[in-house]
Amino acid sequence: MRRFITTLAILLVVIVAGMTALVLLVNPNDFRDYMAQQVEQRSGYRLALDGDLRWHVWPQLSILSGKMTLTAPGATQPVVSADNMRLDVNLLPLLSHQLAVKQVMLKGAVIRLTPDSEARRPADAPVGPRDATPPVSTQGWKFDIADLRVADSLLIWQQASGEQLNVRDLNLQMSQNQRRQAHLELSSRISRDQRELQVTLNADMDVSRYPQHLSAMINQLDYQLTGASLPAQGVAGQAKMQAEWTEKSHAFSLKDLAMSVNESQLSGSISGELAARPTLRIDLHSPMLDIDSLMGLASGETDNDERVASPRSAPGPVIARTVEEEHAGEILNAVDGEVALAIDKLRWRGMDLQQVALNATGEQGVLSLNTLKGKAGNGEFSLPGSVDVRQSKTAVSLQPALSNIAVAPLLKAFDMPASLSGDLSLTGRFTGTGLSIAAFKRDWQGKAQVRLSDAQMAGLNFQQMIQRAVERSSDRVQGPDEATTSSALQQIEGGATLNNGALDFITLNGSSSMLNYQGKGSVDLIKRLADLHFGITVTQGWQGDGELVRRLQQTPVPLRIYGPWAGLHYSLQVDQVLRQQLRDEAEKRLKNWAERNQNGETRSPVQKLINKL
């Protein structure tokens, strides 16, 4: 044991002595010109190192430098600049006059991807063959980088539109082996328009055929977006996918995509070509997509039946825009493609939809909704149409077809009082500008045929209203008991037109087991007012005077419903029916008396009275 410990001590002393001798005898500044030469020879970029290079021996052998810059040919600003750089090198290659760099570390670096940092060819530079590559020296010193680490740095990316994006707190660690299989770990923070995106990435890449082909397996991508006009908890999730890029065709693909967004999930593939006019092909499936959660809408209700928004961050900054920018689909003007989306469960403005399928194609700013259908409860819906964003405002055209859709949740979704229940069937055509609910109420037009089955109106039982009004005006008849009338379901059919917030019902025909009615009227969606007129005939349930019962079973009773949604008023004119009944009865009796007394002296005055009636 003592011999073993002695041997280890001798070996340690030799290593320490060797490293000390290396540090004392080898000047790292001798590598400065060679490293700059090799970088420029291999890539064309110019490496500049300011200050003296110095050794750092613990915890590993490293070369430390002061400020460094890396500049592309002809560029006015460096692509990379840092206050200090560390090169972790292998010891044994140094003993044989080889420089093998295990890792390059930059701390506090600034990476610029701007027009000023791009490579520029001098105007008088000779043009060589495209496939020509600069010769690489294989003699003497060798330069090999296996690992790259960037810590606490800043990435400045200026987009083609001139807008600049800053990626802060950039931490990057990348390593590659002899087969050019790379591993990448990245974390960063992006701030823009009072919003912040935090990203963490773990991926494995194959760069053996770069730049002709690049593939990557994204093992984990975590993200969280918080800030202005977003839900208080933000938008967060994870993603995994296999990505590929082909330089010749500028084609990319994202396969085996699995992504979560808050409580929603998506899987499938996305591919396309980034040509002069990019094209996209999207094929996704979602077991659950909660749009309300992404938009910050809660399921609560106020006293006015208006949807409650969950706590959100402060609104975003008000940015002045020209009229040409006032549409919601700007990306459609720049990208063509196809979208296929299958959703098992979808929540939209409080409505739970199932088996939603969307198939759409976009070309030159027009999105054609070839298929947009699904189920809601026991009903089905289909909304084919188109969305045109070529003009200053988004133009929409839809041909809805609804079958047995519960009307109460639909009214809530459109911020209207859910005072009507039943199953709605509808066919029609609507056009307008804008995709929001507010735009639908304000800037849409169209016509539709509607049918409402098993309808009930909350707080408005037509039969009870007429029954009570008749009983208050006359004791000769009585209506059915409330237990019979409260469960009477109605069937309503009619036509409706929408014109910039004015919803007009041209005809409304309703019936139940005990009444029939016809009506018309209008609803102001903007001012939230209603004015409806009905003629209601109660056909069953009356008891009492036979003549008056027959009159009530045959004569429509005028009913007007009007006023604001929050407090509707109604006017029921039962007395007109009763007065007409009295006139008819009086006229009948006078006629009978006149026929029995044709030669009497009072016949003439009686005839005049009959004519006045």
Side-chain angles (χ1 to χ4, degrees):
M1 177 60 70
R2 297 178 62 182
R3 292 182 179 180
F4 177 72
I5 295 176
T6 302
T7 303
L8 288 179
I10 295 174
L11 181 60
L12 181 60
V13 170
V14 171
I15 293 175
V16 172
M19 293 184 63
T20 303
L22 180 65
V23 170
L24 294 176
L25 298 177
V26 178
N27 186 359
N29 290 283
D30 295 340
F31 305 148
R32 180 197 305 273
D33 294 338
Y34 175 77
M35 287 189 292
Q37 177 185 357
Q38 290 296 309
V39 169
E40 187 169 4
Q41 182 178 357
R42 292 171 179 266
S43 64
Y45 284 70
R46 184 173 67 256
L47 175 65
L49 300 174
D50 296 339
D52 292 335
L53 304 181
R54 59 191 185 278
W55 288 112
H56 184 74
V57 298
W58 184 260
Q60 57 189 357
L61 187 62
S62 305
I63 298 177
L64 302 182
S65 74
K67 184 177 181 179
M68 62 79 60
T69 59
L70 185 66
T71 308
T76 59
Q77 286 189 346
V79 177
V80 180
S81 61
D83 292 335
N84 55 75
M85 177 178 67
R86 191 183 78 193
L87 305 177
D88 297 335
V89 300
N90 292 320
L91 175 62
L92 294 181
L94 284 175
L95 299 178
S96 59
H97 295 280
Q98 292 182 348
L99 177 63
V101 179
K102 294 190 297 183
Q103 178 175 269
V104 176
M105 178 177 178
L106 302 175
K107 185 175 179 62
V110 178
I111 305 171
R112 291 181 177 88
L113 300 179
T114 65
D116 293 336
S117 65
E118 292 180 352
R120 297 181 181 178
R121 180 182 295 274
D124 56 348
V127 179
R130 291 186 176 181
D131 56 350
T133 57
V136 178
S137 175
T138 58
Q139 303 296 327
W141 298 97
K142 294 182 180 180
F143 186 70
D144 181 23
I145 299 177
D147 295 271
L148 173 65
R149 182 179 177 187
V150 179
D152 301 330
S153 300
L154 170 66
L155 170 64
I156 302 174
W157 176 33
Q158 185 170 341
Q159 305 175 54
S161 61
E163 192 171 359
Q164 187 169 288
L165 187 66
N166 294 333
V167 181
R168 305 181 185 277
D169 296 339
L170 177 63
N171 292 278
L172 170 67
Q173 187 166 358
M174 183 173 66
S175 60
Q176 65 174 346
N177 55 25
Q178 296 292 336
R179 300 188 306 274
R180 300 193 69 185
Q181 306 295 314
H183 179 74
L184 175 67
E185 295 183 7
L186 170 70
S187 65
S188 65
R189 176 175 59 88
I190 305 172
S191 299
R192 180 184 178 189
D193 295 341
Q194 298 183 12
R195 295 180 180 178
E196 182 176 277
L197 174 63
Q198 294 183 346
V199 178
T200 303
L201 173 68
N202 183 301
D204 293 303
M205 299 187 298
D206 181 0
V207 294
S208 59
R209 291 186 291 163
Y210 179 81
Q212 289 78 20
H213 184 268
L214 178 65
S215 64
M217 175 62 71
I218 299 178
N219 304 314
Q220 185 171 359
L221 172 62
D222 298 334
Y223 64 93
Q224 183 177 23
L225 178 63
T226 58
S229 301
L230 292 173
Q233 73 276 15
V235 178
Q238 297 179 339
K240 296 181 180 180
M241 68 193 77
Q242 181 178 350
E244 293 187 2
W245 166 258
T246 302
E247 175 66 22
K248 183 177 181 180
S249 58
H250 296 281
F252 74 93
S253 65
L254 304 178
K255 301 178 182 178
D256 300 327
L257 173 64
M259 181 178 182
S260 64
V261 186
N262 287 359
E263 302 300 324
S264 304
Q265 301 87 36
L266 289 167
S267 61
S269 64
I270 301 175
S271 61
E273 293 81 31
L274 300 182
R277 185 172 181 86
T279 59
L280 289 176
R281 291 175 294 276
I282 302 175
D283 187 359
L284 297 175
H285 169 260
S286 173
M288 175 62 186
L289 184 59
D290 191 342
I291 297 180
D292 287 357
S293 174
L294 299 179
M295 296 179 64
L297 295 178
S299 59
E301 299 174 355
T302 65
D303 295 337
N304 295 327
D305 292 332
E306 295 180 0
R307 189 161 306 283
V308 177
S310 64
R312 299 170 72 89
S313 302
V318 178
I319 301 175
R321 291 193 172 191
T322 60
V323 175
E324 289 75 17
E325 296 176 333
E326 291 180 355
H327 57 70
E330 295 178 359
I331 189 174
L332 296 179
N333 272 329
V335 178
D336 295 338
E338 302 176 356
V339 178
L341 182 60
I343 307 173
D344 296 340
K345 296 181 180 180
L346 172 66
R347 176 163 294 173
W348 175 76
R349 298 186 68 85
M351 294 187 64
D352 291 323
L353 311 178
Q354 303 85 34
Q355 299 179 20
V356 177
L358 168 64
N359 286 279
T361 57
E363 184 175 1
Q364 300 298 323
V366 178
L367 179 65
S368 299
L369 301 175
N370 305 318
T371 302
L372 177 54
K373 63 180 181 179
K375 296 182 178 181
N378 297 323
E380 299 178 350
F381 67 89
S382 177
L383 295 169
S386 64
V387 179
D388 187 344
V389 297
R390 294 174 296 182
Q391 304 301 321
S392 60
K393 293 186 178 181
T394 303
V396 186
S397 176
L398 295 178
Q399 297 85 46
L402 311 182
S403 176
N404 297 324
I405 299 294
V407 70
L410 188 62
L411 291 174
K412 288 183 180 180
F414 281 82
D415 291 335
M416 299 174 65
S419 57
L420 186 65
S421 63
D423 296 329
L424 175 67
S425 297
L426 178 149
T427 56
R429 179 182 179 87
F430 294 92
T431 59
T433 57
L435 292 169
S436 64
I437 297 297
F440 171 80
K441 295 179 179 180
R442 183 181 62 248
D443 300 321
W444 281 51
Q445 308 83 36
K447 296 181 179 180
Q449 290 293 321
V450 297
R451 184 180 75 252
L452 190 61
S453 303
D454 299 335
Q456 284 187 323
M457 299 183 183
L460 290 177
N461 189 315
F462 292 161
Q463 186 172 344
Q464 284 187 4
M465 293 166 62
I466 296 175
Q467 169 195 337
R468 292 172 181 173
V470 170
E471 291 176 347
R472 286 195 299 267
S473 302
S474 174
D475 58 358
R476 296 166 56 188
V477 292
Q478 293 181 345
D481 56 27
E482 294 186 3
T484 305
T485 61
S486 61
S487 60
L489 299 178
Q490 307 169 42
Q491 311 299 316
I492 305 174
E493 296 183 358
T497 62
L498 176 64
N499 186 17
N500 298 334
L503 180 60
D504 296 323
F505 294 98
I506 304 172
T507 59
L508 283 176
N509 298 317
S511 64
S512 71
S513 59
M514 305 187 74
L515 60 82
N516 295 319
Y517 60 88
Q518 294 181 336
K520 61 180 181 178
S522 62
V523 176
D524 192 324
L525 301 179
I526 301 176
K527 296 181 180 179
R528 304 171 70 88
L529 299 174
D531 191 0
L532 304 172
H533 298 263
F534 298 99
I536 303 174
T537 304
V538 179
T539 60
Q540 301 292 333
W542 294 109
Q543 297 177 358
D545 185 276
E547 188 64 27
L548 183 55
V549 167
R550 284 191 296 271
R551 168 70 64 175
L552 292 172
Q553 290 175 340
Q554 299 173 2
T555 306
V557 176
L559 172 65
R560 181 190 178 195
I561 301 175
Y562 61 96
W565 295 352
L568 289 173
H569 308 283
Y570 70 91
S571 174
L572 188 62
Q573 301 176 6
V574 175
D575 53 344
Q576 293 184 2
V577 179
L578 297 178
R579 284 198 299 268
Q580 186 62 39
Q581 168 64 20
L582 293 176
R583 290 194 190 97
D584 294 345
E585 186 176 350
E587 182 180 0
K588 180 179 179 181
R589 292 186 180 185
L590 289 173
K591 285 182 179 180
N592 292 336
W593 184 89
E595 289 176 357
R596 292 194 302 269
N597 300 275
Q598 293 183 0
N599 298 325
E601 296 180 356
T602 59
R603 183 181 184 280
S604 179
V606 170
Q607 188 63 43
K608 292 180 180 180
L609 181 58
I610 293 175
N611 294 335
K612 290 182 179 181
L613 293 175

